[in-house]
Amino acid sequence: MNKLPLKTRVQILTMLCEGSSMRSISRVADVSINTVSKLLVDAGKFCAELHDREVRNVKAKRVQCDEIWSFTAAKQKNVAAMKNTVEGAGDTWTWTALDSDSKLIISWLVGGRDGEYALAFMDDVKERLANRVQLTTDGHKAYLNAVEEAFGADIDYAMLVKMYGEPEGKAVPQERRYSPAVCTGAKKTRIEGSPDLAHVSTSHVERQNLTMRMQMRRFTRLTNAFSKKFENHVHMVALYTVWYNFIRIHKTLKTSPAMAAGVSQTLWSMDNICEKMDAVAPKPGPRGPYKKGA
């Protein structure tokens, strides 16, 4: 079985995390798009296990949670009209929990935006924390029951509800298709415990959402670069999370979020990821007997 050189695999995975599309990567690296897809799947599975194993016992003080929208195969409103149905088609939400100080992505989950996913997400966040934290979320109602079920009273929890509208005294342009609504204010509400209202914010996790949109091509709006398969979307988020936590140097911190959080003692590279993948990959067995075609 032929295997790509380490340099080529590092190039492909790095480009995937730098906002390049799979087809552009196949052209630049001079490999088949199926090769890029298979490497993404292998790396995604490995990175999901790595994150699950390494990001544990996180000593955080303030945690911010948010969800970011994308879609698989077709937008939700167009799923019913699809000629060829795809499993997992429609709106795809990525939940993330961020340590506000180290900028570490503590937990992530890809799926729907209902209470079931909220509970699964919060249960995972709870398992990865080493101590009581102050938690801030947006006003999504699914968080209320999920946080209560996962943490009980062992949490200082507040919701930040932003209000949107048009600024007073300014004319509203007729064409607003590409412009977001203006945030006119925010309401901070204590839900559980004694959260410090001065630190009730979702700014850091929302900034991380922007990084996700910029670094993963399938998250880019108003393009045809959406995920065609739900599984590949999950694999890409898993790869991105390890890249963001362990490899990428945060400009403010001057180090990786994993090192800032004490999860890792060294700065990783994509070469390290590929070498670790090789170390756990099953050894190719002997080739089976050749069978002639009918």
Side-chain angles (χ1 to χ4, degrees), residues 176-190:
R176 289 296 303 271
R177 179 180 178 186
Y178 302 114
S179 301
V182 177
C183 180
T184 58
K187 180 181 179 182
K188 300 178 180 180
T189 305
R190 186 195 72 85

Side-chain angles (χ1 to χ4, degrees), residues 99-197:
D99 177 5
S100 183
D101 295 306
S102 69
K103 307 303 184 293
L104 179 80
I105 298 178
I106 301 171
S107 177
W108 60 271
L109 179 66
V110 179
R113 199 173 179 242
D114 55 24
E116 184 178 355
Y117 277 97
L119 180 56
F121 175 61
M122 279 299 159
D123 282 340
D124 190 65
V125 174
K126 168 66 175 177
E127 290 179 2
R128 299 183 186 281
L129 294 173
N131 51 274
R132 182 183 180 119
V133 300
Q134 174 167 321
L135 176 68
T136 304
T137 71
D138 58 18
H140 186 33
K141 293 182 180 180
Y143 281 117
L144 292 171
N145 181 66
V147 174
E148 175 66 25
E149 289 287 334
F151 291 92
D154 190 25
I155 190 77
D156 297 313
Y157 174 39
M159 270 188 167
L160 180 70
V161 180
K162 293 184 177 181
M163 292 163 282
Y164 295 91
E166 300 300 337
E168 295 182 3
K170 290 187 178 181
V172 180
Q174 293 182 355
E175 180 57 58
R176 289 296 303 271
R177 179 180 178 186
Y178 302 114
S179 301
V182 177
C183 180
T184 58
K187 180 181 179 182
K188 300 178 180 180
T189 305
R190 186 195 72 85
I191 305 298
E192 185 68 52
S194 303
D196 183 358
L197 295 184

Side-chain angles (χ1 to χ4, degrees), residues 18 33 79 87-88 101 113-114 147 224 244-245:
E18 290 290 354
I33 190 171
V79 171
E87 185 177 357
D101 295 306
R113 199 173 179 242
D114 55 24
V147 174
N224 63 352
Y244 177 90
N245 280 343

Side-chain angles (χ1 to χ4, degrees), residues 22-274:
M22 293 177 65
R23 292 197 178 278
S24 67
I25 294 172
S26 69
R27 292 191 294 269
V28 172
D30 194 23
V31 296
S32 166
I33 190 171
N34 292 334
T35 300
V36 178
S37 180
K38 184 180 185 304
L39 183 58
L40 170 61
V41 172
D42 294 341
K45 292 178 180 178
F46 174 81
C47 289
E49 295 176 357
L50 188 149
H51 176 87
D52 184 59
R53 181 178 66 251
E54 298 291 336
V55 184
R56 295 279 180 180
N57 200 34
V58 179
K59 297 178 177 63
K61 294 180 181 179
R62 295 179 292 273
V63 176
Q64 301 178 9
C65 295
D66 199 14
E67 328 84 59
I68 180 173
W69 174 86
S70 55
F71 65 93
T72 300
K75 293 182 179 179
Q76 196 65 45
K77 63 181 181 180
N78 299 325
V79 171
M82 291 179 63
K83 294 181 179 179
N84 298 318
T85 57
V86 175
E87 185 177 357
D91 292 346
T92 305
W93 292 87
T94 302
W95 304 68
T96 53
L98 190 81
D99 177 5
S100 183
D101 295 306
S102 69
K103 307 303 184 293
L104 179 80
I105 298 178
I106 301 171
S107 177
W108 60 271
L109 179 66
V110 179
R113 199 173 179 242
D114 55 24
E116 184 178 355
Y117 277 97
L119 180 56
F121 175 61
M122 279 299 159
D123 282 340
D124 190 65
V125 174
K126 168 66 175 177
E127 290 179 2
R128 299 183 186 281
L129 294 173
N131 51 274
R132 182 183 180 119
V133 300
Q134 174 167 321
L135 176 68
T136 304
T137 71
D138 58 18
H140 186 33
K141 293 182 180 180
Y143 281 117
L144 292 171
N145 181 66
V147 174
E148 175 66 25
E149 289 287 334
F151 291 92
D154 190 25
I155 190 77
D156 297 313
Y157 174 39
M159 270 188 167
L160 180 70
V161 180
K162 293 184 177 181
M163 292 163 282
Y164 295 91
E166 300 300 337
E168 295 182 3
K170 290 187 178 181
V172 180
Q174 293 182 355
E175 180 57 58
R176 289 296 303 271
R177 179 180 178 186
Y178 302 114
S179 301
V182 177
C183 180
T184 58
K187 180 181 179 182
K188 300 178 180 180
T189 305
R190 186 195 72 85
I191 305 298
E192 185 68 52
S194 303
D196 183 358
L197 295 184
H199 292 286
V200 173
S201 172
T202 56
S203 297
H204 292 151
V205 71
E206 288 174 356
R207 178 59 183 84
Q208 194 282 134
N209 284 349
L210 174 60
T211 303
M212 292 184 75
R213 288 212 182 275
M214 298 297 293
Q215 302 299 146
M216 287 185 281
R217 182 63 172 163
R218 63 192 66 230
F219 276 80
T220 309
R221 295 179 184 271
L222 300 175
T223 72
N224 63 352
F226 53 85
S227 293
K228 312 307 186 291
K229 296 180 180 179
F230 178 81
E231 293 80 6
N232 285 356
H233 192 94
V234 176
H235 294 321
M236 186 63 238
V237 174
L239 172 62
Y240 162 83
T241 303
V242 168
W243 173 82
Y244 177 90
N245 280 343
F246 292 90
I247 298 175
R248 178 179 180 269
I249 296 178
H250 195 282
K251 288 187 177 181
T252 302
L253 301 173
K254 308 300 183 183
T255 185
S256 69
M259 292 185 68
V263 173
S264 174
Q265 300 301 316
T266 59
L267 180 66
W268 293 21
S269 67
M270 196 63 80
D271 296 71
N272 298 141
I273 299 298
C274 291

